[in-house]
Amino acid sequence: MELDLDDLEPVSRRSTAAIVADRLRHAIMRGTFPPGAQLGEVEIATRLGVSRGPLREAMQRLVAEGLVRSERHRGLFVRDLDAADVRDVYTARAAVERAAGLLVVAGDRTEAVVVLTAALADMEAAAAAGDAVALADADHRFHQQLVAASGSPRLRRMADTLLVETRMCLAALQDNPPPPAELVAEHRALRDAVRDGDEARLVATLEKHMTDTVARILDVTPSPRSSRPHPPAPPDQPL
Amino acid sequence: MELDLDDLEPVSRRSTAAIVADRLRHAIMRGTFPPGAQLGEVEIATRLGVSRGPLREAMQRLVAEGLVRSERHRGLFVRDLDAADVRDVYTARAAVERAAGLLVVAGDRTEAVVVLTAALADMEAAAAAGDAVALADADHRFHQQLVAASGSPRLRRMADTLLVETRMCLAALQDNPPPPAELVAEHRALRDAVRDGDEARLVATLEKHMTDTVARILDVTPSPRSSRPHPPAPPDQPL
DNA sequence: GCTCGTATGATTGTCAACAATCCGCGGCGT
DNA sequence: ACGCCGCGGATTGTTGACAATCATACGAGC
């Protein structure tokens, strides 16, 4: 008796707080609000067309995610990440994506290969076009769908949060983009490892990708203009 | 010129939203609000002596953590976890605690051994006294401090959330406690692995602990009174 | 007898105003 | 000239009330 009504989403959309949180997350990710910037409640509320009530709820959600820092009677500020935070984000990402990758390899990986290949194609296209932001978008989607393919909602949520923080880091130095060739090559290696179902190679490639990326970020951080080869990891210099 | 004023917390305490979020988290953890229960805003707000504004902010924080589920114009409900969620919590915990354990072993593990030994002693005392809730508390603290000793704030936050969910699972079947002897033994093995700095043994012990625990939980779930040995993992039976 | 439409009660979503607190600036005293 | 004190402006924290929405119960119609 059933038609194909399987995937009809009910009209009851999400709460406005969730929508506002998404909007703000996107804005922070894009760098619209630079790290350390104060988020005035009234301005943002009026700009989004909502009152301060829902806006504050959305802010609390972002605080729980660690994207904004709340100082009592001072205001809400976008968290600025120092070098230690960058390393921390990538160690956490390594832990989450490793677990997700193992689940993907252990399960049905055909669908995963499809979506990963699609994201990889977008990366290649963006790299060819020299579009840094599209490249970052595709990179983001690659890792997002890798974790999503694991079928673990908790790993997925953690990865989403961490990926937003990753974009925050990258937005701070988007004038100094990573070499697209290496990036694409590393992701292709990841896709290949998933395709072949090679656990060990997937894990090794993933961890190498993480350490490489954090090195790429931190090496160029201290002085964005000079590209000296390898200053041995400055202690804690802020971005 | 400095006295020992290092750890003086400023008078400006945290926002009330954070406080009520902590309070609610504790209540959910203890099982005061059973899974699936509706959380009436006015009742809880009046009971806590705050208005609905801060309470809603705290609720959004808990929603972001995945502890409560919000249905638009219906209300807020404590998330009830089925068997798949239990497995998911423990796979995520395994990923996080594995990474944290590796960081601990790679770094200065003397302090970690101290706090882990203290938590282990509490577990032994609770086990000897037959106090199930104290045992669960000590267990909680053991894993919490293991991750905290890694020095990674993001792993710490993830672990805290996951540990609360773990307690939610356990609260649902606290009338069917796990055998204390095995629990203590496994944690002692974990502490020993950390003490000896044996990466491989630590990881192996950790993953065994996780799979053992999830098996303990799911085996007794279908019919809490009958303790048949090993029904091979019921597909998705709710708690 | 069953189903559909309607009234009702309660709960959530939203808003605008009030109170408390903090930062920056000018004036005063030393 | 330097430091302390108080004030003004602005922002956040909180509150209570209003509007929108949904679940339930009851009665009419087929």
Side-chain angles (χ1 to χ4, degrees):
Chain A
M1 194 61 77
E2 298 173 2
L3 305 168
D4 48 355
L5 306 175
D6 301 338
D7 51 353
L8 70 96
E9 288 305 313
V11 243
S12 66
R13 63 192 184 282
R14 292 174 305 170
S15 68
T16 51
I19 298 176
V20 173
D22 278 352
R23 205 65 87 70
L24 291 175
R25 212 175 293 136
H26 222 81
I28 292 177
M29 221 173 58
R30 275 187 52 189
T32 308
F33 299 114
Q38 179 170 3
L39 302 172
E41 292 185 355
V42 285
E43 170 169 350
I44 299 180
T46 56
R47 190 178 297 266
L48 289 179
V50 298
S51 185
R52 282 180 52 208
L55 183 94
R56 284 176 63 86
E57 298 175 14
M59 285 298 187
Q60 288 296 330
R61 200 178 275 219
L62 296 182
V63 168
E65 293 174 13
L67 269 64
V68 306
R69 151 183 59 94
S70 165
E71 270 180 52
R72 191 180 161 88
H73 291 116
R74 293 283 298 275
L76 297 151
F77 304 88
V78 182
R79 278 208 53 183
D80 50 344
L81 309 175
D82 58 7
D85 283 310
V86 174
R87 291 193 207 94
D88 193 44
V89 167
Y90 277 89
T91 55
R93 275 189 60 184
V96 171
E97 299 195 21
R98 176 187 180 276
L102 290 180
L103 285 177
V104 169
V105 169
D108 180 21
R109 53 202 158 82
T110 61
E111 192 177 352
V113 172
V114 172
V115 293
L116 290 183
T117 304
L120 185 62
D122 290 350
M123 286 188 70
E124 289 167 344
D131 189 344
V133 33
L135 183 66
D137 278 339
D139 187 344
H140 189 129
R141 236 193 21 258
F142 185 96
H143 291 278
Q144 197 169 12
Q145 288 181 333
L146 170 66
V147 179
S150 74
S152 165
R154 279 158 191 84
L155 289 180
R156 191 199 208 305
R157 196 179 46 200
M158 295 174 182
D160 283 346
T161 302
L162 293 171
L163 284 172
V164 174
E165 289 190 278
T166 301
R167 292 296 285 273
M168 280 179 62
C169 304
L170 297 184
L173 37 88
Q174 64 184 0
D175 47 62
N176 201 325
E182 291 182 29
L183 210 65
V184 172
E186 290 190 4
H187 285 85
R188 192 193 330 263
L190 285 175
R191 199 251 348 231
D192 290 346
V194 171
R195 167 168 48 89
D196 302 341
D198 189 336
E199 283 193 11
R201 201 170 87 229
L202 174 61
V203 169
T205 310
L206 238 167
E207 289 176 354
K208 180 178 182 304
H209 176 52
M210 293 298 170
T211 55
D212 281 4
T213 307
V214 70
R216 270 197 288 265
I217 293 178
L218 293 183
D219 279 359
V220 300
T221 315
S223 56
R225 294 295 171 247
S226 76
S227 60
R228 52 199 160 143
H230 276 109
D236 249 354
Q237 209 149 352
L239 286 177
Chain B
M1 195 61 78
E2 297 174 3
L3 306 168
D4 48 356
L5 306 174
D6 301 338
D7 51 355
L8 70 93
E9 290 304 314
V11 215
S12 66
R13 65 193 185 284
R14 295 173 303 169
S15 66
T16 52
I19 298 176
V20 302
D22 278 352
R23 204 67 84 73
L24 291 175
R25 214 175 293 136
H26 219 82
I28 292 177
M29 221 172 58
R30 275 187 54 189
T32 307
F33 299 113
Q38 179 169 5
L39 302 172
E41 292 185 355
V42 284
E43 170 169 350
I44 298 180
T46 55
R47 189 178 299 266
L48 288 180
V50 297
S51 185
R52 282 181 50 209
L55 183 96
R56 284 176 64 84
E57 298 174 14
M59 285 297 188
Q60 289 297 329
R61 201 178 274 219
L62 296 182
V63 168
E65 294 175 11
L67 269 65
V68 306
R69 150 182 62 93
S70 164
E71 269 179 54
R72 192 180 162 84
H73 290 117
R74 294 282 298 274
L76 298 151
F77 304 87
V78 182
R79 278 209 54 184
D80 49 348
L81 309 175
D82 57 8
D85 283 310
V86 173
R87 291 194 207 94
D88 193 44
V89 167
Y90 277 90
T91 56
R93 276 190 60 184
V96 171
E97 299 195 21
R98 176 187 179 278
L102 289 180
L103 285 177
V104 169
V105 168
D108 179 20
R109 54 202 156 82
T110 61
E111 192 176 353
V113 172
V114 172
V115 294
L116 290 184
T117 304
L120 184 63
D122 289 350
M123 287 188 71
E124 290 167 344
D131 189 343
V133 32
L135 183 66
D137 279 339
D139 186 346
H140 190 129
R141 241 200 7 266
F142 185 96
H143 292 277
Q144 198 169 11
Q145 289 181 333
L146 171 66
V147 179
S150 74
S152 165
R154 280 158 190 83
L155 289 180
R156 191 198 207 305
R157 194 178 45 199
M158 294 174 181
D160 282 347
T161 302
L162 292 171
L163 284 172
V164 173
E165 290 190 277
T166 301
R167 292 297 287 274
M168 280 180 62
C169 303
L170 296 185
L173 38 89
Q174 63 184 1
D175 46 62
N176 202 324
E182 291 183 30
L183 209 65
V184 172
E186 291 191 4
H187 285 85
R188 191 193 329 265
L190 286 174
R191 198 248 354 227
D192 290 347
V194 171
R195 167 169 48 94
D196 302 341
D198 189 337
E199 284 193 10
R201 201 171 88 227
L202 174 60
V203 169
T205 310
L206 237 167
E207 289 176 352
K208 180 177 182 303
H209 176 53
M210 294 298 170
T211 54
D212 281 4
T213 307
V214 70
R216 270 198 287 267
I217 293 178
L218 292 184
D219 279 1
V220 301
T221 314
S223 56
R225 293 296 169 247
S226 78
S227 59
R228 53 202 162 140
H230 277 108
D236 248 356
Q237 210 150 353
L239 286 177

